[in-house]
Amino acid sequence: MSATIIVPALQDAYQGVLRRNPAESEFHQAVEEVLGCLGPVVERNPHYLAERVIERLCEPERQIIFRVPWTDDAGQVQINRGFRVEYSSVLGPYKGGLRFHPSVLLGTVKFLGFEQIFKNALTGMPIGGGKGGSDFDPKGRSDAEVMRFCQSFMTELYRHLGEYTDVPAGDIGVGGREIGYLFGQYKRITNRYEAGVLTGKGIAWGGSLARIEATGYGTVYFANEMAKQVGATLDGKDVVVSGSGNVAIYAMDKVTELGGKVLACSDSSGYVVDEDGIDLDLIRDIKERRRERIRVYAQERGGRSRFVEGRIWDVPAQVALPCATQNELDEDAAIAMVKAGTKLVAEGANMPCTPGAVSVFQEAGLLFGPGKAANAGGVATSALEMQQNASRDSWTFEHTDGRLHEIMRGIHERCVATAQEYGQPGDYVFGANVAGFTRVAEAMLAMGVI
Ligand code: NDP
């Protein structure tokens, strides 16, 4: 079972992270989880310690922080802070999304960038790890305001990007609209149609079919592989999905296609339960087109649906897919879920379960799939978008979705085999961290002291 950090050299490395990065609790949490799994790895490979691979990996290659000034519709000057943490480029150009949310701090971006290194390694594709964003809140802003913000953000960030250097994508608060404005400004400043510099683009201008669906679909493909390990599938299962954004919507879509019933979904104001199964067309209309709050679903759907201002994890279901944000599912919720009979949890979001919740799940013998494995389908399909851009080609939906499915099966196999190899069968947290870490560590060592 993944655990606290026991090996003294790893504990020293972790203490160094705490000292050098004060008050960045999410970053500490992400590092602790990975280092907690590496004990048996450094025992087998003491040269990882001698070469100080772990300390090197805990320090981003580059951290960029910049001012983003822009003018709102009332003519008022607004100032936000922009970030890009270029974490590791040993496997390929930095790759990872941009998050626009008022809660974004440097530590948030560092935690996401750190996770991204191992996630990207797990896909087996040639992509390094990075992440970025801003404390800008797109909620309630007009399209013109969002455009002006994105243009100002890119006016600084462009000098750090490039299809061989750093390739951002979307994340919370950054969808197709924002990627469009960012790409437009990049193209204008550089005078280059460098399609591979951003992923998640529109289909008409260099985007990949199946990219928008990829994270949610990939999470469900992964969850289904986990279920198969115990001779089950998602068919006929009750499922709860937190969030109602990009990842959640397409996770719900795939669950429904595979015969599961989605009972509830949420946003930051609360959740809706629908005993007849969530009507996805209505959710998409409310969230993707009208950009309204989740309570509107219950008002318009009526029937056996209702809105609740509380935690979605109180809705009993055999399968739970947390697809909203970090630390949204705590130990208390996990205990309630185990009691209510939840059998499988797969993280569509990044680090949505607290360490306490993960321990509860693992001790109860639940199948638990961590985000860096389960939600890797998004970045993997971004890499497929880059491949299409590089060859000036565009693949069919079926082809890309088929590749995604194959990649998710591969990640699942890698996690299972690695956990097995180290005598930790069924521990996906261990399998994902160790398989991802090993690929990155080997590449680092091959490249000398970098
Ligand atoms: P979206 O912005 O499309 O949706 C986010 C959803 O989560 C919304 O329903 C939002 O509700 C909810 N949410 C956000 N913050 C909070 C909060 N503090 N408390 C409760 N609910 C919250 O983002 P994505 O769907 O793209 O991302 C969701 C998660 O998946 C994130 O953890 C992201 O890092 C991860 N992820 C995304 C990938 C992608 O391809 N998009 C790839 C891999 C991981 P509200 O509207 O009320 O804020």
Side-chain angles (χ1 to χ4, degrees):
M1 187 174 300
S2 40
T4 43
I5 305 166
I6 301 162
V7 176
L10 293 173
Q11 185 55 243
D12 288 350
Y14 180 60
Q15 291 304 320
V17 167
L18 296 183
R19 204 168 43 247
R20 293 154 68 109
N21 305 275
E24 294 181 352
S25 58
E26 291 162 338
F27 177 50
H28 304 161
Q29 183 182 331
V31 171
E32 189 176 17
E33 185 205 282
V34 174
L35 268 52
C37 293
L38 296 184
V41 181
V42 297
E43 246 166 57
R44 276 193 202 182
N45 303 278
H47 61 292
Y48 289 168
L49 291 179
E51 301 280 349
R52 303 193 65 187
V53 170
I54 288 134
E55 284 97 326
R56 282 195 257 162
L57 264 179
C58 290
E59 186 65 26
E61 288 176 13
R62 190 174 299 106
Q63 304 182 55
I64 303 149
I65 305 179
F66 52 99
R67 177 168 65 205
V68 189
W70 57 283
T71 308
D72 67 18
D73 286 347
Q76 191 80 35
V77 174
Q78 300 283 343
I79 296 115
N80 287 96
R81 185 175 286 176
F83 303 95
R84 186 74 182 163
V85 174
E86 298 182 331
Y87 228 110
S88 168
S89 60
V90 287
L91 297 180
Y94 308 106
K95 184 87 199 83
L98 298 171
R99 176 176 294 189
F100 293 169
H101 193 272
S103 65
V104 169
L105 296 167
L106 178 61
T108 322
V109 181
K110 266 162 120 174
F111 119 65
L112 290 163
F114 188 75
E115 291 280 290
Q116 197 82 45
I117 309 173
F118 308 108
K119 176 189 307 191
N120 294 5
L122 264 181
T123 66
M125 303 173 95
I127 40 179
K131 199 83 186 189
S134 173
D135 58 359
F136 171 71
D137 187 358
K139 252 190 229 113
R141 292 290 178 189
S142 69
D143 286 353
E145 289 178 316
V146 171
M147 181 185 75
R148 286 195 293 275
F149 172 81
C150 288
Q151 290 179 339
S152 180
F153 185 85
M154 187 52 92
T155 300
E156 173 57 35
L157 191 64
Y158 87 95
R159 68 191 81 244
H160 305 288
L161 306 184
E163 61 179 321
Y164 296 111
T165 311
D166 186 350
V167 182
D171 191 82
I172 290 178
V174 179
R177 173 182 62 169
E178 290 75 16
I179 294 290
Y181 296 145
L182 291 164
F183 185 73
Q185 185 71 352
Y186 182 88
K187 186 178 79 57
R188 190 175 172 208
I189 296 173
T190 59
N191 194 28
R192 282 159 61 85
Y193 204 106
E194 191 184 333
V197 74
L198 282 172
T199 57
K201 299 182 293 295
I203 302 306
W205 43 279
S208 173
L209 288 164
R211 172 60 187 94
I212 192 171
E213 292 86 354
T215 309
Y217 277 21
T219 301
V220 176
Y221 291 147
F222 192 89
N224 215 29
E225 291 301 312
M226 290 167 72
K228 280 193 209 158
Q229 291 290 107
V230 294
T233 67
L234 296 187
D235 189 20
K237 302 289 184 303
D238 285 343
V239 182
V240 164
V241 179
S242 66
S244 49
N246 172 261
V247 179
I249 284 176
Y250 292 100
M252 293 193 267
D253 186 19
K254 188 53 78 177
V255 164
T256 311
E257 192 190 312
L258 295 184
K261 182 177 180 188
V262 181
L263 284 181
C265 66
S266 63
D267 66 14
S268 57
S269 67
Y271 65 91
V272 287
V273 195
D274 191 335
E275 305 295 341
D276 297 317
I278 293 287
D279 176 346
L280 253 187
D281 289 339
L282 181 55
I283 287 284
R284 293 189 60 175
D285 187 45
I286 292 168
K287 286 294 174 183
E288 292 185 332
R289 280 175 281 280
R290 288 147 55 187
R291 296 180 191 269
E292 289 185 307
R293 310 308 291 155
I294 199 85
R295 69 178 70 230
V296 173
Y297 177 89
Q299 286 159 5
E300 295 185 8
R301 169 92 157 154
R304 298 201 296 158
S305 75
R306 64 185 191 282
F307 169 74
V308 184
E309 253 178 69
R311 70 174 188 199
I312 189 171
W313 312 118
D314 291 331
V315 178
Q318 291 128 315
V319 175
L321 305 177
C323 294
T325 194
Q326 65 268 18
N327 294 326
E328 55 164 313
L329 195 168
D330 64 11
E331 194 173 338
D332 263 10
I335 292 169
M337 289 162 74
V338 169
K339 274 196 194 136
T342 303
K343 297 279 181 266
L344 187 155
V345 179
E347 295 183 326
N350 284 310
M351 213 169 72
C353 300
T354 65
V358 176
S359 298
V360 169
F361 291 145
Q362 292 189 322
E363 275 157 26
L366 249 83
L367 290 166
F368 175 75
K372 60 169 82 67
N375 72 33
V379 75
T381 308
S382 276
L384 298 179
E385 183 172 330
M386 291 163 75
Q387 286 183 25
Q388 293 169 75
N389 295 150
S391 58
R392 299 183 188 281
D393 198 0
S394 43
W395 306 339
T396 61
F397 184 93
E398 289 67 28
H399 177 75
T400 315
D401 184 41
R403 295 277 308 264
L404 165 66
H405 204 154
E406 196 183 299
I407 290 164
M408 296 314 296
R409 274 196 294 259
I411 296 172
H412 182 268
E413 271 168 31
R414 237 160 269 149
C415 292
V416 169
T418 306
Q420 191 81 39
E421 183 193 332
Y422 280 88
Q424 319 253 17
D427 188 340
Y428 285 92
V429 176
F430 181 91
N433 283 328
V434 172
F437 169 81
T438 306
R439 184 169 173 228
V440 179
E442 288 301 321
M444 271 182 94
L445 288 173
M447 292 181 197
V449 180
I450 55 163

